[in-house]
Amino acid sequence: MRISIWRSLRTSCWKGESAGFISTKLRLPPNFATVKRYSFRVGRWFGALALLVTACQKPEEVPVPAQLIPRDKMVSLLVELHLLEARTDAAVLPQDSARALFRQQQKNVYWRYEVTDSIFVQSYRYYAVHDKDLDEIYSIVVDSLALREAKLTPPGSPPPHP
């Protein structure tokens, strides 16, 4: 008897019918399916409003770091880091060993350029927020890497990249 009552109550709720017994126990209105639907609509409007408000906010302005790496030094540092990354990718090592080798060599590059990793990250973030600066820096980096590649390939050989 008890199982059949519970099944009938459960199936009446799933059919969307008014469940008087459950609504009196939970103190819900008799037709709580419409309340659920209404709260979903209100939730959508609040979500859209929150998205609109956050989209209209000004992006966070990054202050100039105290030890900003100059552009020419940043270009040569990025060239060295990209060459180092290419060398470690070309080495036939397991992924964790290659990552450890890259990090060790990266510290050596930072030491040669007399910067720390935090100064590099702060400078990179500053240049990244200012899109034109980073675009100019990377156009120089790409050009210098292409020039190095052109010097290494013998004349008359096909280009390594399509």
Side-chain angles (χ1 to χ4, degrees):
M1 174 76 174
R2 186 178 248 179
I3 294 174
S4 64
I5 293 173
W6 179 249
R7 282 186 186 159
S8 66
L9 287 174
R10 190 175 60 196
T11 55
S12 66
C13 292
W14 283 108
K15 290 179 185 175
E17 299 172 2
S18 175
F21 175 74
I22 294 176
S23 63
T24 56
K25 291 290 185 187
L26 298 176
R27 299 194 193 289
L28 296 173
N31 195 356
F32 60 90
T34 57
V35 172
K36 188 190 269 187
R37 209 176 4 209
Y38 176 73
S39 65
F40 180 70
R41 287 181 186 160
V42 170
R44 272 195 303 186
W45 280 105
F46 278 127
L49 182 64
L51 182 65
L52 182 67
V53 167
T54 57
C56 294
Q57 288 180 348
K58 225 176 151 179
E60 181 182 320
E61 186 63 31
V62 177
V64 178
Q67 297 177 334
L68 180 68
I69 300 173
R71 294 175 80 176
D72 55 343
K73 190 175 185 179
M74 188 71 162
V75 166
S76 57
L77 181 61
L78 284 171
V79 167
E80 288 293 322
L81 288 175
H82 284 292
L83 287 172
L84 174 64
E85 184 180 12
R87 281 193 300 264
T88 55
D89 283 345
V92 183
L93 294 171
Q95 186 177 9
D96 56 343
S97 299
R99 185 179 301 129
L101 176 66
F102 176 77
R103 290 210 174 124
Q104 182 62 36
Q105 295 297 320
Q106 185 181 24
K107 289 177 187 177
N108 292 339
V109 170
Y110 288 154
W111 182 79
R112 275 198 324 255
Y113 281 90
E114 298 173 351
V115 296
T116 62
D117 56 347
S118 62
I119 292 173
F120 174 75
V121 168
Q122 288 173 357
S123 298
Y124 191 87
R125 183 171 181 228
Y126 175 78
Y127 287 126
V129 168
H130 300 89
D131 294 336
K132 289 184 180 181
D133 292 337
L134 191 65
D135 287 341
E136 291 172 5
I137 288 171
Y138 262 100
S139 67
I140 297 170
V141 168
V142 168
D143 289 343
S144 59
L145 288 173
L147 183 64
R148 284 184 186 214
E149 185 179 30
K151 285 182 182 178
L152 292 176
T153 55
S157 66
H161 303 287

